[in-house]
Amino acid sequence: MRKVLGLVLPVGICLLVGFVASYFQRESLEEWYPLLNKSPLTPPGSVFAVAWTILYVCMGISIGLILNLYSLYKTYFVRLFGFQLLFNFPGVFYFFIFRIRCWGLLIFFFWICWWFYILSGRILYLRPVLCCLSLISYG
């Protein structure tokens, strides 16, 4: 029972963060975002709600699994997770409320540098992030 709660609670917290973020960006998604000049590779708007929900569930499961570990590095990974969650949340305000469009690229650049540092230069682990960055900046 404790392990199940250790997964359900983090998933709930991540979904709550996503819900709060979506609440603040709702108006901009309806009025401002459709008018942006977007890449032809940008999926329709209806895909984002599903994709972000899946991402937040996966994030919650990952931190829940870490919380259920007995490891010396557990505190380190929990802090790293909390840092990235708190760092990404203001991105909603910068991009959708203040309409600073380069915020997403700045976040990706920061995370590439951060993970490059953590992974001690193992750039191959960053292929998915680099692929996403190239798709975002396309067009």
Side-chain angles (χ1 to χ4, degrees):
M1 179 66 175
R2 185 170 181 236
K3 285 191 176 191
V4 172
L5 185 61
L7 285 174
V8 171
L9 188 61
V11 169
I13 291 171
C14 288
L15 286 173
L16 180 65
V17 168
F19 175 76
V20 171
S22 70
Y23 174 78
F24 287 111
Q25 68 189 14
R26 185 168 299 152
E27 185 179 315
S28 288
L29 281 174
E30 294 170 358
E31 298 172 5
W32 174 69
Y33 186 73
L35 301 176
L36 288 177
N37 184 15
K38 294 182 278 299
S39 161
L41 299 175
T42 303
S46 59
V47 172
F48 288 105
V50 175
W52 278 104
T53 301
I54 291 169
L55 279 172
Y56 280 116
V57 167
C58 290
M59 288 169 49
I61 290 171
S62 69
I63 194 62
L65 292 173
I66 290 171
L67 288 171
N68 286 326
L69 285 177
Y70 296 103
S71 171
L72 297 173
Y73 301 107
K74 179 175 160 177
T75 304
Y76 172 74
F77 287 119
V78 170
R79 286 182 184 166
L80 183 64
F81 180 83
F83 176 73
Q84 69 85 22
L85 194 62
L86 290 175
F87 182 76
N88 284 320
F89 183 73
V92 170
F93 295 97
Y94 286 109
F95 186 78
F96 289 103
I97 307 299
F98 305 132
R99 299 181 179 170
I100 301 172
R101 293 185 288 178
C102 66
W103 180 253
L105 292 176
L106 289 174
I107 288 175
F108 269 116
F109 178 74
F110 171 79
W111 283 115
I112 286 171
C113 294
W114 179 258
W115 285 110
F116 189 78
Y117 170 74
I118 288 178
L119 297 172
S120 301
R122 295 182 190 99
I123 196 70
L124 294 178
Y125 291 119
L126 297 175
R127 283 184 288 190
V129 174
L130 295 172
C131 181
C132 286
L133 183 61
S134 64
L135 287 174
I136 288 171
S137 60
Y138 173 78

